[in-house]
Amino acid sequence: MKISDPHAVRLLERRLGGRRHALAEELEEIKDQLETLSFRDITGLVMRTSPVRGAKLLRLLPPERSAAVFDALNPAHQADIITAMGDERVVDYFGSIGAEDRVALLDHLPAEIADRLIRELDEGDQEVTNVVLGYAKGTVGRRMSPKVPVVTPSMTVDEVVATLRADVDRLETIYTIPVVDEDRRVCGVLRLRALFGAEGTDTVADVMEPPFVFRAGDDLEDSARWLLSSARLAAPVVDDDNRLLGILTYDEAHDVVEGANSEDSARMGGSEALRQPYLSTPVIRLVRSRIVWLLVLAVSAILTVKVLDVFEETLHKAVVLSLFIPLLTGTGGNTGNQAATTVTRALALNDVRKSDALKVMWRELRVGMTLGAVLGVLGFGIATAVFGLPIGTVMGATLFLICTISATVGGMMPIIAKAVGADPAVFSNPFISTFCDATGLIIYFFIAKAVLGI
């Protein structure tokens, strides 16, 4: 095994960043340097460079290693490299990855390229790929692997081992093996540990466990999160009649959850998630991932400006009120975002369901009141000491109400989004901040007018 050499990686990165068209002798030197790097280093190089340079790197690698590096990339990056390469090697790449990975890649490719790649597959690979393509995006069926062994309860352990050995290169996983009856209905699962701990003459029925299965139409993200939390390495996927269709593996579930978490984090920050490593993402794609959200937030911020315009006369009569506006809007936005982030995560982990809306509202109301009481007392004391009792009263009351309302609204927004079929992350930080800014200012000025008599 080659040891990672950071100096060699940086040197090769600089060479790749040099002239656009390398001479033949330079390409040979780069090829020799690639042979000294580990698989991890080469994969990192491809991830950190543009698709065009990544394609050149893959061409310089031996075919088997090149295909392995390609398989390690995420689908969006794979699609960009395929578009950049435009040669016959991409057909080999496409055929070397699993059916579920092919489908994920096809979702990122132009239709004409996708059609050509499918036509180039052999008949068996075309069949299993089309099976996965037949399921809707966002369902378990779309990410399952159809390549599973056929094992029945009456088979002996020795027969199962022989079956696995004969098909080991074709199968997606052998760590969790579905057991089916004569109608291909799943009746159990066989773990590799149990298989090797049994006698060769034992039957599968003696060592198999009760199955947990996913339906092909189940929500993919929810199912993937459950699989990861259950510590299972895989779970069978069945149709409505409990007939075996494929298997969802741990690594596929991990990729799904990682992608969903990245998407939620990006949307909470007011942008769209990148589908590939940052340094290999074209600048125009970075712009597109942010510009829509900036426009939406800019338009929604007009509401805050309108509130200030309505209470302009109040500010003229008590200019000191303007000093506390950043504090109040920041406190409201942060309180709402904290609640929204907590509830969004709870929804993702299935700790909270849509039916728990009233429980969440009551809990966040109490949390907000407690936070508001603490901050309100502090605000009252400091503002009273510096600006007098009336201003201190305004600050204390406003902080209490803002925290209470912001926490309650922030906790409810993700559940409302889930109920209407929207992404809870979309309703989180950016929109909650704007909502809390506007409502916080309205509360602030009404309290100030009542207390100060202006």
Side-chain angles (χ1 to χ4, degrees):
M1 178 182 294
K2 294 181 176 65
I3 304 299
S4 178
D5 185 351
H7 176 71
V9 174
R10 287 194 296 269
L11 179 62
L12 192 49
E13 280 184 319
R14 285 197 294 270
R15 298 198 66 175
L16 289 170
R19 67 173 68 189
R20 186 176 179 84
H21 300 288
L23 300 176
E25 56 269 22
E26 288 180 313
L27 291 177
E28 284 300 319
E29 290 178 13
I30 293 175
K31 188 175 181 180
D32 292 339
Q33 286 181 318
L34 287 172
E35 292 178 359
T36 67
L37 299 180
S38 67
F39 175 82
R40 176 184 175 184
D41 287 336
I42 295 174
T43 304
L45 271 175
V46 176
M47 288 180 175
R48 288 171 55 84
T49 190
S50 67
V52 173
R53 287 176 179 154
K56 290 179 180 177
L57 277 174
L58 291 178
R59 288 196 186 98
L60 294 174
L61 294 171
E64 185 174 344
R65 200 175 197 200
S66 180
V69 171
F70 181 82
D71 191 26
L73 306 176
N74 61 45
H77 201 182
Q78 288 176 336
D80 285 346
I81 285 180
I82 281 181
T83 303
M85 291 186 81
D87 59 21
E88 291 303 317
R89 182 175 284 196
V90 300
V91 177
D92 297 330
Y93 293 155
F94 192 64
S96 67
I97 59 179
E100 70 284 2
D101 294 327
R102 287 192 209 113
V103 171
L105 172 55
L106 290 172
D107 288 338
H108 292 85
L109 286 172
E112 62 275 11
I113 297 179
D115 290 341
R116 180 174 71 85
L117 289 176
I118 291 178
R119 288 197 301 269
E120 294 290 342
L121 293 173
D122 61 44
E123 186 175 344
D125 285 338
Q126 279 190 29
E127 183 178 350
V128 295
T129 301
N130 286 329
V131 167
V132 179
L133 274 173
Y135 294 97
K137 293 181 181 179
T139 62
V140 172
R142 190 77 171 195
R143 292 299 287 270
M144 71 177 181
S145 172
K147 294 183 177 180
V148 290
V150 178
V151 174
T152 62
S154 60
M155 294 175 66
T156 66
V157 168
D158 283 340
E159 289 173 337
V160 174
V161 171
T163 298
L164 296 179
R165 183 177 290 116
D167 286 343
V168 68
D169 292 332
R170 182 185 68 86
L171 301 175
E172 180 67 24
T173 181
I174 61 171
Y175 299 108
T176 301
I177 307 163
V179 182
V180 298
D181 60 19
E182 62 274 8
D183 294 321
R184 203 176 169 79
R185 290 187 173 89
V186 176
C187 55
V189 293
L190 180 59
R191 296 180 186 269
L192 194 64
R193 181 185 294 273
L195 181 68
F196 280 96
E199 297 294 331
T201 55
D202 290 343
T203 64
V204 170
D206 296 329
V207 294
M208 72 181 188
E209 302 174 7
F212 176 86
V213 300
F214 293 122
R215 302 288 177 186
D218 287 348
D219 181 82
L220 177 59
E221 184 181 338
D222 290 345
S223 301
R225 290 188 186 278
W226 190 94
L227 183 62
L228 295 188
S229 66
S230 71
R232 287 174 167 82
L233 295 177
V237 180
V238 299
D239 62 15
D240 291 337
D241 294 323
N242 206 44
R243 290 188 175 88
L244 181 65
L245 298 172
I247 195 164
L248 181 67
T249 60
Y250 183 95
D251 60 336
E252 284 296 327
H254 178 271
D255 289 345
V256 169
V257 172
E258 184 178 46
N261 288 344
S262 297
E263 186 176 82
D264 289 347
S265 297
R267 287 180 172 176
M268 286 180 181
S271 67
E272 287 296 318
L274 300 179
R275 301 297 183 180
Q276 62 195 77
Y278 172 80
L279 290 178
S280 64
T281 303
V283 171
I284 189 62
R285 193 171 296 171
L286 290 172
V287 172
R288 285 203 303 266
S289 72
R290 302 177 189 179
I291 188 64
V292 174
W293 284 94
L294 287 176
L295 291 174
V296 169
L297 293 175
V299 171
S300 61
I302 294 175
L303 179 60
T304 304
V305 176
K306 182 62 177 176
V307 172
L308 290 173
D309 181 56
V310 170
F311 290 98
E312 183 179 6
E313 185 177 347
T314 304
L315 280 174
H316 279 306
K317 293 180 179 178
V319 178
V320 68
L321 295 175
S322 63
L323 299 177
F324 298 101
I325 289 177
L327 169 65
L328 296 174
T329 56
T331 299
N334 290 336
T335 304
N337 289 338
Q338 287 177 337
T341 300
T342 302
V343 175
T344 298
R345 176 166 175 76
L347 283 170
L349 297 176
N350 211 30
D351 292 339
V352 169
R353 298 178 177 86
K354 291 180 290 185
S355 57
D356 297 322
L358 292 179
K359 293 179 182 178
V360 171
M361 184 173 66
W362 174 233
R363 179 173 289 263
E364 289 299 330
L365 177 66
R366 288 178 291 162
V367 171
M369 291 175 68
T370 304
L371 292 172
V374 173
L375 294 177
V377 168
L378 290 174
F380 171 78
I382 296 172
T384 299
V386 178
F387 298 100
L389 181 61
I391 297 297
T393 302
V394 171
M395 285 300 301
T398 303
L399 283 169
F400 175 78
L401 289 176
I402 283 179
C403 288
T404 301
I405 294 173
S406 297
T408 306
V409 172
M412 289 301 296
M413 278 290 188
I415 296 179
I416 293 172
K418 191 83 170 177
V420 300
D423 188 338
V426 174
F427 278 70
S428 295
N429 297 22
F431 287 117
I432 288 175
S433 295
T434 303
F435 173 83
C436 291
D437 286 352
T439 54
L441 289 175
I442 292 173
I443 292 170
Y444 180 43
F445 287 122
F446 272 116
I447 291 176
K449 289 180 72 173
V451 172
L452 301 178
I454 55 177

